[in-house]
């Protein structure tokens, strides 16, 4: 008998490379584990401010470590991640507020499932963390959405609402939910186990998370692991 699916919420922001890793792993496992994955686009800048945390990029040694760490992780997770030419400008000057409002708008207008949210988020990560392209201008957001398979009319609809108060409030509400769970950075994954939320920060807690929800961790590429068995 199948037990009911455990709800897992994934809070993320496309400005965060570690969120991309966490996102891809959770998307790979959504059909492997008995889970219902809920994508929760939110704003990392609001989380940092609300929790009083400081980005690792502002500590020189951490920044150096992060650059090496991401290169190793990209290979391990099989995600085409490479640092942009000026990470500080991308992360701190340009930021991701408009991009995350755009993702929130895609989520708002999509009915039945979150396929478009998944694909648009992935294309935005690809632009910023693989191709060193802009994610702040409407034309950049449209290009990402087009690559993600949205039609011209769908993109127009999203562009019409992503700067509205309703969408601003939706993104703010998601970020506040994350803070209420105790977030101080992304990715943040909340597993609902026996009526209690279990919060995991980062993209290196999957083994522990699997244990917590009664599932098996098969590595970052479960399809490959399953093929070996």
């Amino acid at each position: 008998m199948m037990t009911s699916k455990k709800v897992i919420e994934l809070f993320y922001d496309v400005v965060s490379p570690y969120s991309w890793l966490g996102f891809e792993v959770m998307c790979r496992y959504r059909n492997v584990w008995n889970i219902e994955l809920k994508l929760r686009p939110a704003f990392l800048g609001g989380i940092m401010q609300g929790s009083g945390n400081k980005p690792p990029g502002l500590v020189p040694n951490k920044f150096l470590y992060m650059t090496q760490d991401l290169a190793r992780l990209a290979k391990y997770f099989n995600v085409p991640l490479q640092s942009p030419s000026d990470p500080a400008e991308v992360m701190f000057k340009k930021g991701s507020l408009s991009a995350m409002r755009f993702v929130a708008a895609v989520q708002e207008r999509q009915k039945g499932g979150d396929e478009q949210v998944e694909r648009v988020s992935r294309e935005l990560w690809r632009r910023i963390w693989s191709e060193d392209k802009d994610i702040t201008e409407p034309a950049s957001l449209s290009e990402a959405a087009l690559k993600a398979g949205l039609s011209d009319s769908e993109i127009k609809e999203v562009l019409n609402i992503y700067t509205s108060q309703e969408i601003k409030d939706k993104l703010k509400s998601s970020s506040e939910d994350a803070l209420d769970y105790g977030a101080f950075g992304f990715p943040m994954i909340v597993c609902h186990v026996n009526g209690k939320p279990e919060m995991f920060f980062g993209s290196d807690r999957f083994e522990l998370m699997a244990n917590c929800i009664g599932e098996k961790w098969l590595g970052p590429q479960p399809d490959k692991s399953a093929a070996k068995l």
Side-chain angles (χ1 to χ4, degrees), residues 116-133:
Q116 286 188 343
V117 179
E118 180 185 330
R119 292 202 309 251
V120 169
S121 299
R122 185 174 288 118
E123 287 304 330
L124 288 168
W125 263 305
R126 206 189 294 278
R127 284 183 74 84
I128 182 174
W129 284 102
S130 194
E131 299 166 354
D132 201 3
K133 289 178 180 171

Side-chain angles (χ1 to χ4, degrees), residues 1 4 8 18 50 59 73 89 144 154 156 180-181 185 187-188 209-210 212 225:
M1 195 183 98
S4 61
I8 295 186
Y18 291 98
V59 181
L73 288 167
E89 186 192 23
E154 285 174 321
K156 204 173 173 185
D180 288 345
Y181 280 129
M188 189 188 78
M209 188 195 307
C212 186
S225 302

Side-chain angles (χ1 to χ4, degrees), residues 20-38:
W20 190 10
L21 303 171
F23 172 90
E24 293 298 355
V25 168
M26 291 313 301
C27 287
R28 289 167 192 172
Y29 271 88
R30 74 194 315 177
N31 297 317
V32 177
W33 289 345
N34 187 30
I35 59 171
E36 182 193 338
L37 180 64
K38 291 190 172 179

Side-chain angles (χ1 to χ4, degrees), residues 85-195:
S85 51
D86 188 347
E89 186 192 23
V90 165
M91 291 158 78
F92 310 129
K93 286 182 191 155
K94 285 185 158 187
S96 59
L97 186 55
S98 54
M100 293 318 293
R101 282 176 179 162
F102 189 82
V103 175
V106 170
Q107 190 171 53
E108 181 64 28
R109 63 161 300 286
Q110 185 177 11
K111 302 288 174 273
D114 56 13
E115 207 178 315
Q116 286 188 343
V117 179
E118 180 185 330
R119 292 202 309 251
V120 169
S121 299
R122 185 174 288 118
E123 287 304 330
L124 288 168
W125 263 305
R126 206 189 294 278
R127 284 183 74 84
I128 182 174
W129 284 102
S130 194
E131 299 166 354
D132 201 3
K133 289 178 180 171
D134 173 72
I135 60 157
T136 61
E137 299 297 327
S140 307
L141 300 170
S142 300
E143 202 177 306
L146 200 61
K147 273 194 168 178
L150 273 70
S151 68
D152 287 341
S153 62
E154 285 174 321
I155 293 168
K156 204 173 173 185
E157 266 183 60
V158 175
L159 286 174
N160 281 339
I161 62 167
Y162 90 110
T163 53
S164 68
Q165 193 57 48
E166 184 191 2
I167 295 301
K168 287 176 182 176
D169 291 346
K170 179 181 163 72
L171 188 68
K172 193 177 177 192
S173 168
S174 184
S175 306
E176 281 169 356
D177 286 350
L179 284 168
D180 288 345
Y181 280 129
F184 52 87
F186 286 162
M188 189 188 78
I189 302 165
V190 180
C191 304
H192 295 270
V193 185
N194 302 325

